Amino acid sequence: MILRTYQSRAVDRAIAALDAGERPIILAPTGSGKTTIGVEIACRLSARDGGSPLWVAHRQELLDQARERLDAVGSAIPVISIQTIARRGIHVTPSLVVIDECHHATSKSYLSLLSLPAIGLTATPCRLDGRGLRNAGFTQIIEAATVKELITDGFLVNPTYYSLPAPDLTGVAIEKGDYASAGLRIAMRTPKITGDVLAHYKRHDLASKRTLVYACDLDDAQFLADLLHGVVVSGDTPDAERRDILKRIRSGPTTVVNCQLWTEGVDIHELEAVVLRRPTKSLALYFQMVGRVLRPAPQKSALVIDHAGNYREHGPVTDPIAFSLDDRPKRPRLPSTRTCPECYAIHPAPARSCPKCGHVYDFTISDRLTNDETDLTKIIPYEDRRAFWYAQPHPAAYAAQFGAAPRLVLAGTAIVDEHGSNNYRRDLFKTLCRFYRESIPTKGHAVEDYFNAYGKLPQAHVQAVYAMSRRHATV
């Protein structure tokens, strides 16, 4: 079997860890070939030690995929579902257990595997309930590659995100850490959201693409399938029908509405678009849904159309995440982005126009706005205001562009503007006073002398400038 460099590296590290008595998890992003990595490890150890490995998964699609890969290399390693193990037990002790999608391994059905040598395979070693995978007996995480690295090397496709306004989920109950499906269906079945789904389905010509839509529950899936002339696949769909639907979407334009099924273990390289109509608090589920469309194919572009607010909740899948066996994953601060009001594409900020549709952003405000900073921030993205201020730190120029001077805040005995700059020079300080058309009480040149000596203003004058800015600044 010919392996990519990162796959070969992961295999070597995993075998070394197993030889040292560890139970490692192979962290491999969706589309990186984690099944290939697992098959290589199992076959190599079987050939070296003469043992009898066992492959375990929890869904039929995963079992079929593993069996296909093992057959391709002439291996007779048994593939069995965890449900069968829970019912019948293990009669022959395997030399190694490969646990596919091992983030499920904290459930009771996996208890019989805890004492056996094992490796886990997953793209998301985390759980919504916060239970770390050390509880499943794993001892370390081996990262094969990151999503960003795989996109750079051409092994995955960089998706284009379109994020519509987040739905109002007020009042939707939380069950086991995520939104309850019944309440979620009601919240997402509004005329506005339904209209947006249909409008953007037509706008992006998804009927002529291979499209996967994620629904809230089975009733919602049927509703969306009727709306979009698609076909439903769910846990209730017979195996033969599932395979037929999979063949259809691989062979040509098809819209499949998925209900809690095709989030793991389904390889559809040809898939061109994912429509997220199911909000989730689960980082793992979000990554799995978006990950379906990342696999490469000739002349392929990948679309992620988010009607559920998931991008705003979790960010892009290319962001690095610090996974742990003990705690919830830690993410860095999300990068600055903005959403085009015309086409709803998400792109890096600051920007003067949308790179997707060419819409030019209007930064001119003709009317005086109120002091509602939240409303103002929605009109003028913070990142654009900050970039302008650092390029041209003059209040009058800033006000001419954005309608008001930067708002000042207190930081001890210093004045700090809303953009984090505290290097106010004396001339800038005077300009501020003139701009606000108010003077600060002084005694001779005491303020200037103090400023020159200490690089800051006396506390009383800081308070005065702060009070003045609150009365006159609207940003």
Side-chain angles (χ1 to χ4, degrees):
M1 185 185 302
I2 299 176
L3 300 179
R4 299 168 183 169
T5 302
Y6 68 86
Q7 292 173 333
S8 179
R9 186 168 56 242
V11 169
D12 292 341
R13 291 178 62 192
I15 291 176
L18 288 165
D19 288 343
E22 302 280 354
R23 293 178 99 237
I25 289 175
I26 306 297
L27 167 56
T30 300
S32 64
K34 59 182 172 54
T35 304
T36 298
I37 294 173
V39 166
E40 178 67 17
I41 293 170
C43 291
R44 193 181 295 184
L45 288 178
S46 178
R48 189 190 73 177
D49 303 332
S52 302
L54 178 67
W55 193 288
V56 176
H58 72 293
R59 281 191 175 160
Q60 189 60 49
E61 286 81 4
L62 294 169
L63 298 170
D64 292 344
Q65 181 177 279
R67 183 71 274 157
E68 181 181 336
R69 300 289 174 82
L70 288 164
D71 288 345
V73 296
S75 173
I77 292 174
V79 176
I80 188 170
S81 73
I82 190 61
Q83 293 85 350
T84 299
I85 291 176
R87 287 195 307 268
R88 302 178 185 174
I90 298 178
H91 303 294
V92 178
T93 303
S95 58
L96 174 70
V97 181
V98 180
I99 304 176
D100 205 352
E101 303 298 351
C102 66
H103 50 278
H104 297 286
T106 59
S107 66
K108 292 180 181 180
S109 54
Y110 289 85
L111 288 176
S112 61
L113 307 179
L114 272 176
S115 61
L116 300 174
I119 61 167
L121 306 175
T122 184
T124 50
C126 60
R127 292 177 55 85
L128 191 57
D129 60 13
R131 295 185 66 194
L133 294 183
R134 199 177 298 278
N135 292 296
F138 294 107
T139 58
Q140 66 171 275
I141 296 175
I142 297 173
E143 186 173 34
T146 67
V147 174
K148 196 167 186 177
E149 290 169 347
L150 295 174
I151 290 174
T152 300
D153 293 340
F155 296 123
L156 293 179
V157 178
N158 194 18
T160 298
Y161 295 92
Y162 294 87
S163 181
L164 280 82
D168 181 7
L169 302 180
T170 305
V172 178
I174 303 296
E175 293 180 356
K176 298 180 180 179
D178 208 351
Y179 299 109
S181 59
L184 203 55
R185 181 203 333 131
I186 296 171
M188 296 298 291
R189 192 77 66 82
T190 67
K192 175 69 169 66
I193 295 175
T194 301
D196 284 343
V197 169
L198 186 57
H200 284 268
Y201 184 84
K202 293 178 178 178
R203 181 172 192 162
H204 295 284
D205 194 21
L206 299 187
S208 67
K209 294 179 171 63
R210 298 168 176 88
T211 302
L212 186 58
V213 183
Y214 285 94
C216 299
D217 61 13
L218 190 55
D219 181 85
D220 191 44
Q222 191 58 60
F223 169 78
L224 290 169
D226 293 340
L227 180 72
L228 306 175
H229 305 289
V231 59
V232 174
V233 64
S234 72
D236 296 334
T237 307
D239 290 346
E241 189 176 343
R242 288 189 205 177
R243 294 188 183 100
D244 180 62
I245 293 172
L246 194 56
K247 288 179 181 177
R248 283 173 56 186
I249 196 170
R250 282 174 173 165
S251 62
T254 306
T255 296
V256 177
V257 184
N258 176 73
C259 174
Q260 300 175 351
L261 184 65
W262 284 358
T263 54
E264 299 167 336
V266 178
D267 295 349
I268 311 174
H269 286 262
E270 302 84 0
L271 190 66
E272 298 165 275
V274 162
V275 178
L276 304 181
R277 231 313 234 87
R278 186 225 192 278
T280 181
K281 288 182 172 293
S282 170
L283 177 68
L285 177 57
Y286 169 68
F287 266 53
Q288 295 284 1
M289 291 190 294
V290 174
R292 296 308 106 198
V293 79
L294 300 185
R295 289 179 171 85
Q299 281 126 32
K300 170 180 170 176
S301 60
L303 300 180
V304 178
I305 303 176
D306 182 15
H307 297 274
N310 289 324
Y311 183 93
R312 289 176 172 82
E313 175 82 16
H314 303 293
V317 296
T318 50
D319 280 359
I321 301 178
F323 287 106
S324 167
L325 290 173
D326 302 302
D327 306 310
R328 293 181 183 274
K330 295 179 175 59
R331 302 200 68 170
R333 184 178 178 182
L334 296 181
S336 298
T337 61
R338 74 174 301 165
T339 303
C340 173
E342 184 67 25
C343 72
Y344 295 97
I346 298 175
H347 59 82
R352 294 295 173 182
S353 63
C354 173
K356 295 301 176 183
C357 71
H359 173 74
V360 178
Y361 300 123
D362 182 9
F363 294 98
T364 303
I365 301 177
S366 57
D367 299 326
R368 194 68 166 174
L369 299 175
T370 65
N371 284 328
D372 188 339
E373 294 162 13
T374 302
D375 288 343
L376 184 65
T377 302
K378 290 178 182 176
I379 297 170
I380 308 174
Y382 169 81
E383 292 79 13
D384 294 302
R385 292 185 282 124
R386 184 177 188 272
F388 185 94
W389 178 242
Y390 273 81
Q392 191 173 357
H394 194 284
Y398 187 98
Q401 183 76 0
F402 301 118
R407 177 172 56 85
L408 303 182
V409 295
L410 293 178
T413 59
I415 303 173
V416 180
D417 67 67
E418 63 173 309
H419 303 306
S421 172
N422 61 0
N423 59 342
Y424 279 98
R425 300 180 301 277
R426 183 173 68 252
D427 56 341
L428 184 55
F429 168 66
K430 290 181 178 179
T431 303
L432 278 169
C433 292
R434 288 196 300 271
F435 177 78
Y436 291 128
R437 294 180 176 85
E438 285 194 21
S439 61
I440 297 177
T442 61
K443 295 181 180 179
H445 298 284
V447 173
E448 282 191 35
D449 294 340
Y450 190 96
F451 189 89
N452 288 334
Y454 300 103
K456 59 186 179 182
L457 298 171
Q459 181 64 29
H461 297 88
V462 170
Q463 293 283 356
V465 170
Y466 178 66
M468 182 179 64
S469 73
R470 296 301 294 167
R471 289 197 296 274
H472 290 274
T474 61
V475 178

